Amino acid sequence: MHHSTEIPVRRLPLVLTVSLATMLASTPVAGQEELCVGAERFVQEVMGLVAVAEPDTIDDWRTRRMVPGCRVTAAGASSLPSADIARGFYEVIVENGWARTPDPRDAPSEASLRFRRDGADCLFNYYDSAMSLNTDAEMMVSDAVYVGRGEKLYNFLVLCTPAAPAAPRRL
């Protein structure tokens, strides 16, 4: 029996995960893919999700500029209610050494929280079947998850940028 912070998922062989990453890869900006290493490792190894990382350009609200970054698209399956999955995920991320960013500007009602680790600020965004991004990455990781009886598919989208100080406050 799983307690409420555990999310039951099925792991795929490493070969499939590597294949997904290879199929989605594009030419990243120097250092871009390193930003997502910690986030991708966390969702795969700690949370047991199927995930793929890709280089991306992120609209950084702190600088109001488009910056080189990356995204991790992840999927899993669980019989837990959505609120329990998101709450459990965020409890485990803190237990695993991720810290809140200095000025997070989260969207808690949307299950989106910002964390920092290894020089990257990452927005972790939970969503379930009620919302779909319809990206190739989402379809691939979702199709790779075994959904058992009584379980439903859920996803995380993680957007990472280089760590930065808090946004300046206007007086």
Side-chain angles (χ1 to χ4, degrees):
M1 175 178 265
H2 297 282
H3 58 67
S4 65
T5 60
E6 289 186 52
I7 300 170
V9 294
R10 309 312 183 272
R11 292 185 183 261
L12 280 182
L14 180 59
V15 174
L16 179 56
T17 303
V18 171
S19 297
L20 290 173
T22 302
M23 289 170 27
L24 292 171
S26 61
T27 306
V29 173
Q32 196 172 0
E33 68 262 354
E34 286 87 20
L35 286 172
C36 278
V37 168
E40 184 180 29
R41 184 174 293 139
F42 173 76
V43 297
Q44 287 177 331
E45 296 175 9
V46 176
M47 300 308 296
L49 304 179
V50 176
V52 64
E54 307 172 90
D56 198 358
T57 303
I58 309 292
D59 185 0
D60 188 350
W61 61 271
R62 301 164 299 189
T63 62
R64 295 190 177 108
R65 293 190 177 140
M66 298 302 284
V67 298
C70 58
R71 68 174 47 218
V72 176
T73 306
S78 177
S79 59
L80 296 174
S82 292
D84 291 347
I85 294 169
R87 186 176 18 266
F89 183 93
Y90 292 124
E91 288 172 2
V92 174
I93 200 168
V94 170
E95 293 168 2
N96 277 268
W98 287 79
R100 302 289 290 148
T101 58
D103 187 13
R105 294 194 188 179
D106 295 327
S109 63
E110 298 169 15
S112 295
L113 301 177
R114 295 180 195 275
F115 291 90
R116 172 177 287 177
R117 186 170 177 176
D118 303 325
D121 285 348
C122 299
L123 174 66
F124 288 81
N125 194 9
Y126 168 83
Y127 62 100
D128 59 22
S129 59
M131 185 184 111
S132 177
L133 303 177
N134 291 319
T135 63
D136 289 341
E138 178 189 64
M139 288 182 225
M140 284 186 199
V141 296
S142 295
D143 287 346
V145 173
Y146 172 79
V147 180
R149 181 177 295 217
E151 293 181 328
K152 63 182 180 194
L153 188 69
Y154 66 91
N155 296 84
F156 273 90
L157 176 65
V158 186
L159 303 174
C160 297
T161 58
R169 298 276 186 209
R170 297 176 194 213
L171 300 175

